[in-house]
Amino acid sequence: MEFSFTDEQLMIRDTAQSFLSEVSTSSAIRNTMGTEHGFDDNVWQRLCTQMGWQATHIPEEYGGFGLGYVELVIMLEQMGQHLFCSPFFATVCLGANALLVAGTEAQKQHYLPQICNGSLTATLAYTGSSGKWDAHSVDAVVLAKDNEYVLNGVYRYVPDGHTTDVLIVAARNSDTSGQSGISLFVTDANAKGVTREYLPTMDQTKKQAHIVFDNVVVNEHALMGEYANAWPLLDKILNLATIATAAEQVGGSQQVLNMSVAYTKERVQFGRAIAGFQAVKHQAADMMLRTEVGRSAVYYAACVAQEFFDGGSLARELGEAASVAKSYCSDGYFKNAGDAIQLHGGVGFTWEYDVHLYFKRAKSSEMFLGNGAYHRERVAKMLLD
Amino acid sequence: MKLSFSKADEKFREEVAQWLNDNLVEEFAQLKFRGGPGDEHMFPDERKKWEAKLAEGGWIGIAWPKEYGGRGCSIEQQVIFNEEYARAGAPGRVGHIGEGLTGPTLIAFGSEAQKQRYLPGILSGNDLWCQGYSEPGAGSDLSNVRTKAVFDEAIGKWLITGQKVWTSLAHESDYIFVIARTESGTKGHKGLGFFLLNMDQPGIEVRGIKQLTGTSEFNEVFFDNAECDAQDIVGKPGEGWAVAMGLLGFERGVSTLGQQMQFQNELDEVIVAAKNNGTHKDPMIRQRIADAHIGLKIMRYNSLRMLSGNGDDGSLQKEALIYKLFWATWHRDLGELAMDVLGPEAEILSAAPYELSRMQALYLFVRSDTIYGGTNEIQRNIIAERGLGMPKDIRPTL
Ligand SMILES: Cc1cc2nc3c(=O)[nH]c(=O)nc-3n(C[C@H](O)[C@H](O)[C@H](O)COP(=O)(O)OP(=O)(O)OC[C@H]3O[C@@H](n4cnc5c(N)ncnc54)[C@H](O)[C@@H]3O)c2cc1C
Ligand SMILES: Cc1cc2nc3c(=O)[nH]c(=O)nc-3n(C[C@H](O)[C@H](O)[C@H](O)COP(=O)(O)OP(=O)(O)OC[C@H]3O[C@@H](n4cnc5c(N)ncnc54)[C@H](O)[C@@H]3O)c2cc1C
């Protein structure tokens, strides 16, 4: 048992930190967040070709580095901390994970090397308009017809769905509900019958799309996993993505704490730095507690995710570890970000200071893949039903 | 970063579980799940015998180095022992202050003579210790102690005079360690000494204090020229503060993992109660039970992180005591949840005049968790000052 980073992992963290502090400055964030595209193509290409981050946990046989989920989480934490605008999450934590978990060998060999060389982005679309995140949220419909599948429906809140090259979508047989009858497909995002629309969002640093499938026809090679029985796989994919989101949240929690401590040490009122007032210190202490506790949950979940890929015994804890991390980090990040505005006083209420960017990200990430209450209810089901 | 234990460690786990299974029987069977917080006054004699049994198995001082009679266990093994101990429902340790605080302090700061004299009695489970820190005028502000220590050249002994308060288990203890002022006229951290005293002497009087639970686990301890041998001051006169603080550092060790398994037992009891009375269907209660479960899970990850590294490597910074603040607050919330699950039945006592059920005792006792060992407010100060480098509170100059 070793619950701290190896030297190699520390190096990854430090590299991520220095790269992101160069490319994801406040002005860079503000330049990209205002665009519909949502990220800087040059930076994304540098990330993919020079750093190779998107290939971190993809096995070497598909052109990746074959590192673990812990390494991935280390990077995600830094991306959250630097509010990095990119299709990384969509491509790696949704797209690549979906391919790794549910893809056929042929699909993996086709798509993963393209992700690894930076020529392809991907995302996952599964939620309809219900506002839910579990199996019930899948309301697009699939009709099987002579080795082909016809897909119809609406997907909402799809991360980067308006820009990615590939869509992985969930759809269900028309007479099913809940966890039954769900299938997964991978398709070109520009396939005939697909309409993708950018959804402007309050948190401008994460882009979302509204996607309509109108009689989209895909062939049998597009099917991922077992037909009409893909929920168990989708569930795993979502758990992995949930852990990734929690990692970004911990980075954000840390950043708003850093900003608040730095600001209150500088700001003088009543003849002393306001960081010296106990009411301020105690809020900061609680922020540190929430950050560190969230971090413990995320690192543990990362180890569990790693065991999931390695077939270790902790793999069975995947769902629980994801919910533990996401519920704690969602609430913790939001509270921290709110407190950060408070500790900044009037300037925290301005567009100019970055605090509001984190405050907005905290809320969007809290909502995404289920908020604290949603994940607590998942845990409650495990314990009580 | 990896979570699995080695094969050798898993074997050690089996060994511990087996030993507990074989020994927590007969006269000791009644001690299962007893003697925890809120229940510390129960079965004192049987629990002392249990200490001797543990000693026989070599399970006291497992963290101590071998040269001092310990087992020299790795962190992993200590984690495992504590987890298995609590999983088996083995009783709350009456010897924990000696084993967890006195021993490590003597090993770190004590003279050879002190180690020879006191460590064997702790390891055998025979000598029980209590902690004489707090005084009426020195709670959070521990450095404000007034108890005096004067060296009497004629008899070659230190004479201690003053009062300690809230001293847990003083009435069961053989020895007490005391911080007292060796230099009159000094204030604050300076001029203190750290003394080891035998409780069985005319100069010491113990008076129980009745707690809000109606039971009595802590005491007032009065010293009237109580004697302490010249060799029984730890460190030099005037330098007791460093020893006293060193000791507090040991409070945050692996034993917290054992404590968590006990928390798990308590939470399990709450869950059973909820299932029995149907409150497990109430959405609010479901959220709170899940939240408690989540908090307890993370508490374990916190300790694993805290034990694993140096704070700069993804592990948990030891000096920023988020650990204590987190568990104390978590435990307090669990007590409240227990009552809300029970509903109106929560009010009904097991028996007159004031016999509390385990969940009632839990609910009341947890109010002390956020006070002893550094209150939540003091923890927040420490986190802000040491963890975040924020300015110290202004205090009147000494
Ligand atoms: C939307 C908006 C509209 C406003 N309109 C007006 C207006 O029309 N006219 C006008 O004159 N002003 C206006 N203000 C200014 C407002 O009154 C100040 O923002 C407020 O008094 C706080 O001062 P500050 O922003 O300098 O924060 P600071 O005083 O620097 O406070 C920063 C943080 O430190 C804390 N803090 C400060 N001192 C202490 C202490 N002694 N103990 C504990 N904590 C402390 C604060 O609570 C806060 O959390 C407006 C502000 C806002 C946000
Ligand atoms: C069950 C129990 C067992 C105990 N066992 C022992 C024992 O075995 N040995 C021993 O020596 N002691 C023991 N104690 C004593 C314990 O360590 C003290 O109670 C604790 O340190 C708090 O001191 P106090 O009670 O004097 O409260 P005070 O220090 O008077 O505190 C009162 C309130 O003021 C707050 N406060 C104080 N200073 C500050 C500050 N600077 N900033 C903000 N808020 C502040 C506190 O947080 C608290 O809320 C025990 C206590 C309990 C409840």
Side-chain angles (χ1 to χ4, degrees), chain A residues 1-6 9-10 13 70 257 260-261 264-265 272-278 280-286 288-289 291-297 299-304 307 314 317 320-321 323-325 327-328 331 372-377 379-381 383-385, chain B residues 1-6 9 75-76 79 267 271 274-275 280-281 283 285-291 293-294 297-298 300-305 307-310 312-317 320-323 325-326 376-381 383-385 387-394:
Chain A
M1 184 208 76
E2 193 51 64
F3 204 23
S4 56
F5 293 140
T6 61
Q9 289 168 339
L10 284 173
R13 180 187 67 184
V70 175
L257 169 61
S260 301
V261 170
T264 57
K265 280 180 181 170
R272 67 180 308 206
I274 56 172
F277 296 119
Q278 221 180 53
V280 171
K281 286 164 74 173
H282 286 194
Q283 277 191 69
D286 284 337
M288 177 165 180
L289 178 134
T291 305
E292 288 298 344
V293 171
R295 189 170 271 139
S296 297
Y299 291 171
Y300 185 87
C303 293
V304 170
E307 293 221 353
L314 286 177
E317 291 185 23
E320 185 187 12
S323 283
V324 166
S327 59
Y328 193 89
D331 293 355
Y374 169 81
H375 284 281
R376 278 189 293 276
E377 176 53 30
V379 170
K381 277 203 180 70
L383 292 172
L384 301 172
D385 296 342
Chain B
M1 199 167 264
K2 99 180 177 315
L3 291 168
S4 47
F5 289 96
S6 71
D9 285 339
I75 295 279
E76 283 83 356
V79 168
L267 174 58
I271 291 176
K275 284 183 173 170
H280 74 301
K281 301 250 187 251
I285 294 288
R286 290 173 73 80
Q287 285 284 313
R288 288 170 65 191
I289 288 178
D291 202 32
H293 175 84
I294 288 163
K297 285 272 167 192
I298 308 183
R300 173 158 185 268
Y301 315 153
N302 280 346
S303 355
L304 296 179
R305 267 180 79 210
L307 294 168
S308 276
N310 62 21
D312 200 32
D313 52 7
S315 63
L316 193 56
Q317 237 182 324
L321 302 174
I322 67 133
Y323 187 79
L325 178 59
F326 184 69
N376 276 13
E377 290 72 29
I378 297 302
Q379 301 298 339
R380 289 190 175 96
N381 266 2
I383 294 168
E385 290 166 18
L388 298 170
M390 298 171 90
K392 293 206 152 148
D393 285 1
I394 291 170

Side-chain angles (χ1 to χ4, degrees), chain A residues 125-173:
Chain A
Y126 80 105
T127 48
S129 308
S130 69
K132 295 198 164 65
W133 299 96
D134 58 9
H136 296 277
S137 68
V138 178
D139 57 19
V141 171
V142 54
L143 188 71
K145 206 166 83 181
D146 317 328
N147 292 342
E148 282 186 340
Y149 302 96
V150 184
L151 300 164
N152 275 292
V154 168
Y155 299 98
R156 238 174 131 68
Y157 326 119
V158 183
D160 295 320
H162 59 304
T163 60
T164 60
D165 304 308
V166 163
L167 299 176
I168 291 159
V169 298
R172 62 169 66 253
N173 290 359

Side-chain angles (χ1 to χ4, degrees), chain A residues 237-365:
Chain A
I237 297 163
L238 295 176
N239 286 332
L240 292 168
T242 298
I243 293 168
T245 302
E248 290 188 326
Q249 290 175 319
V250 161
S253 295
Q254 180 71 59
Q255 186 58 18
V256 292
L257 169 61
N258 293 352
M259 291 161 76
S260 301
V261 170
Y263 180 78
T264 57
K265 280 180 181 170
E266 290 287 316
R267 171 73 174 161
V268 174
Q269 288 286 276
F270 302 99
R272 67 180 308 206
I274 56 172
F277 296 119
Q278 221 180 53
V280 171
K281 286 164 74 173
H282 286 194
Q283 277 191 69
D286 284 337
M287 289 168 79
M288 177 165 180
L289 178 134
R290 290 190 285 265
T291 305
E292 288 298 344
V293 171
R295 189 170 271 139
S296 297
V298 164
Y299 291 171
Y300 185 87
C303 293
V304 170
Q306 185 52 43
E307 293 221 353
F308 166 77
F309 281 111
D310 297 344
S313 62
L314 286 177
R316 66 189 135 75
E317 291 185 23
L318 185 67
E320 185 187 12
S323 283
V324 166
K326 182 64 164 57
S327 59
Y328 193 89
C329 294
S330 290
D331 293 355
Y333 187 12
F334 182 71
K335 185 81 175 69
N336 273 13
D339 287 356
I341 293 184
Q342 179 65 21
L343 291 178
H344 278 74
V347 300
F349 192 69
T350 64
W351 190 268
E352 180 195 344
Y353 273 66
D354 287 343
V355 199
H356 73 105
L357 302 179
Y358 288 87
F359 179 74
K360 291 167 184 172
R361 169 67 77 83
K363 199 55 165 184
S364 76
S365 67

